[in-house]
Amino acid sequence: MESQKQHTPVYSCEFFPPRTERGVEKLRTTRERLAQLNPAYFSVTFGAGGSTRDRTFETVTEIHRSGLEAAPHISCIGSTRESIAELLHNYREQGIRRIVALRGDMPSGTRDVGEFRYANELVAFIREETGDHFKIEVACYPEFHPQARDAEADLDNFARKVEAGADAAITQYFYNADAYFHFVEQAEQRGVTVPIVPGIMPIINFKQLARFSDACGAEIPRWLRKRLEACGDDKVAIQALGHQVVADLCRRLLDGGAPGVHFYSMNQAGPVERLWADLDLPR
């Protein structure tokens, strides 16, 4: 993984936009704690078909006003070129310089995909509209997108996003380091040389994680699933095992040349703080 080692490591965290005033206050506290770790940026997710668009915008601009770098997710499925252009203009006016560009999921009960079918079209449109103003991150899937025809097609889709102008990629979460290393190798064989940063999901709630994983196609290895199941409802035991497993995964990835880590925080500070400390990441 020499080409990945050449990139300056980037450590970042992801939030989801809160739905309630109580959630807003909780996220402020989480953000203030994680800001002490000095991550490169905080990304903020975006709901299907723009269902959280306003909340994403409010969360991103608040983070930015506090002096931290924020990167909104922009999902293009079900959107028009005009609506995306307006969103880009608004973020540019706010001083945002980084975007996570995604295809997104179709809103339930909707068949109109909008004017963009794939994320590479969104990346190309952002470049057409804004030039090099934004640093663009895209998603990739070491264990392959659940809707991809096959592994080769998924890798080809990823390469198209990079060719369209993406600067870097963040992976779906995974717990098998070999899947990441193999994916990077296959991507590089297609000429992809941008940083491919592993997305890391701390293990906080096993039942919730199992639901997420079934929905998005991320694999929980059989040995890990069995050990977590054996913990039953013992949250302390689940989180202790999860921390050990995820910390070991991160060490192997970073030792193997991964260009940083992107933590899916689930709007919780503690698990990320513990991993950051154990991994002795820079602050």
Side-chain angles (χ1 to χ4, degrees):
M1 285 187 54
E2 284 304 315
S3 66
Q4 291 294 304
K5 286 183 179 180
Q6 293 169 5
H7 299 297
T8 301
V10 172
Y11 303 99
S12 52
C13 304
E14 180 175 294
F15 299 139
F16 60 84
R19 297 181 178 182
T20 65
E21 191 55 41
R22 183 178 178 184
V24 170
E25 291 301 325
K26 178 185 174 184
L27 181 55
R28 284 182 185 134
T29 300
T30 296
R31 185 191 76 219
E32 288 167 3
R33 286 172 58 179
L34 293 181
Q36 301 304 309
L37 306 176
N38 198 29
Y41 65 94
F42 292 116
S43 70
V44 182
T45 63
F46 186 92
S51 61
T52 63
R53 175 174 291 188
D54 290 344
R55 293 198 299 271
T56 298
F57 186 84
E58 291 162 5
T59 305
V60 165
T61 53
E62 180 173 324
I63 292 170
H64 181 71
R65 285 196 302 270
S66 73
L68 304 165
E69 184 164 2
H73 288 210
I74 293 183
S75 167
C76 65
I77 202 76
S79 297
T80 64
R81 294 169 70 88
E82 182 181 3
S83 66
I84 296 294
E86 180 183 7
L87 195 57
L88 293 171
H89 172 75
N90 291 341
Y91 278 127
R92 193 169 182 173
E93 278 201 327
Q94 294 295 322
I96 303 301
R97 298 301 301 262
R98 188 187 294 259
I99 280 174
V100 181
L102 307 167
R103 173 183 177 269
D105 300 318
M106 279 292 291
S108 58
T110 304
R111 292 189 177 182
D112 182 10
V113 298
E115 296 182 34
F116 300 91
R117 293 185 63 195
Y118 304 109
N120 66 289
E121 297 172 357
L122 173 60
V123 173
F125 182 72
I126 294 171
R127 287 289 176 234
E128 290 168 12
E129 289 290 305
T130 65
D132 293 330
H133 177 81
F134 293 109
K135 182 176 178 64
I136 302 176
E137 324 274 342
V138 293
C140 60
Y141 301 84
E143 294 167 332
F144 308 109
H145 194 286
Q147 295 176 359
R149 185 175 68 250
D150 54 44
E152 294 300 309
D154 195 54
L155 281 158
D156 290 340
N157 290 339
F158 174 46
R160 278 193 285 272
K161 289 189 275 190
V162 175
E163 290 165 7
D167 296 293
I170 303 167
T171 76
Q172 174 64 277
Y173 70 86
F174 58 90
Y175 297 102
N176 181 348
D178 288 334
Y180 170 81
F181 291 127
H182 181 68
F183 179 83
V184 170
E185 181 182 334
Q186 294 294 303
E188 289 179 347
Q189 288 178 9
R190 284 166 169 73
V192 174
T193 59
V194 300
I196 299 175
V197 177
I200 297 297
M201 177 75 83
I203 298 174
I204 303 167
N205 180 318
F206 173 56
K207 290 180 181 178
Q208 183 185 59
L209 178 66
R211 287 198 306 272
F212 285 167
S213 300
D214 290 344
C216 71
E219 180 186 5
I220 303 175
R222 180 177 171 80
W223 67 268
L224 176 56
R225 186 181 286 268
K226 290 297 184 183
R227 287 191 65 187
L228 289 166
E229 287 173 348
C231 294
D233 294 326
D234 188 339
K235 293 181 181 180
V236 173
I238 289 170
Q239 291 178 14
L241 172 61
H243 173 79
Q244 175 191 342
V245 167
V246 173
D248 288 346
L249 171 65
C250 290
R251 287 189 192 97
R252 185 172 173 204
L253 293 168
L254 294 169
D255 289 348
V261 175
H262 183 74
F263 291 105
Y264 297 113
S265 77
M266 300 303 293
N267 290 12
Q268 297 190 41
V272 175
E273 289 173 326
R274 290 190 288 275
L275 286 165
W276 206 287
D278 273 16
L279 296 168
D280 196 24
L281 299 182
R283 300 190 180 207

